[in-house]
Amino acid sequence: MKKLGALVPIALVLIVPAAIWGSYAMAADAYQMQQAYEKQAGQTANSQRGQVFFTKTHGGDWSCATCHTAKPTVTGKHTITGRPIDPLAPSFNKERFSSERQTEKWFRRNCKDVLQRECTAIEKADVIAFLRTF
């Protein structure tokens, strides 16, 4: 019985992250990430809504386009640090949306900068749908 009790923490380490990552755990590209966020949101992404979201300021001084530019096929520049930011459009940067962890990390960080909150699943899906139009 002691051996079974020792397996519980190991099982939690394996099961909890899978539950957190939910439906996008197996995504490997922008389209699959978009689909996973759509499923999570229970609605279909809209690229036009994504473009408005991407270029609009949301009560603050910044929009996504502030650093990433309104044309996400080109290199952007971080407003504060001045560091270059590789293009966001997946057709111009194959690394974009290829990692669930990186995608979530950057959505979380950037949404908090732009919105002062985390993005919703449909906002993420809309932005990816917009970025996939290039």
Side-chain angles (χ1 to χ4, degrees), residues 6 18-19 21 31 48 70 87 95 117 119 122:
W21 288 110
Y31 181 64
Q48 291 172 327
E95 296 297 312
R117 65 170 173 81
C119 288
I122 196 59

Side-chain angles (χ1 to χ4, degrees), residues 69-129:
T69 81
K71 187 176 180 185
T73 59
V74 299
T75 300
K77 183 169 82 172
H78 192 278
T79 300
I80 294 175
T81 66
R83 291 181 64 185
I85 302 171
D86 291 335
L88 268 184
S91 61
F92 285 75
N93 181 350
K94 297 298 180 196
E95 296 297 312
R96 293 296 184 200
F97 309 109
S98 63
S99 163
E100 300 86 17
R101 288 182 189 215
Q102 287 295 94
T103 299
E104 276 299 300
K105 171 189 169 182
W106 288 110
F107 265 131
R108 186 172 38 259
R109 183 178 293 175
N110 292 339
C111 291
K112 286 184 179 181
D113 286 345
V114 171
L115 303 168
Q116 289 75 54
R117 65 170 173 81
E118 290 192 27
C119 288
T120 65
I122 196 59
E123 288 168 338
K124 294 173 189 178
D126 288 346
V127 167
I128 294 171

Side-chain angles (χ1 to χ4, degrees), residues 23 31-46 49 121-122 124-126 129 132:
S23 60
Y31 181 64
Q32 290 173 329
M33 290 295 293
Q34 177 184 326
Q35 286 183 311
Y37 288 126
E38 288 173 332
K39 183 176 180 183
Q40 192 178 11
Q43 58 183 308
T44 303
N46 179 295
R49 203 169 48 214
I122 196 59
K124 294 173 189 178
D126 288 346
R132 290 182 53 243

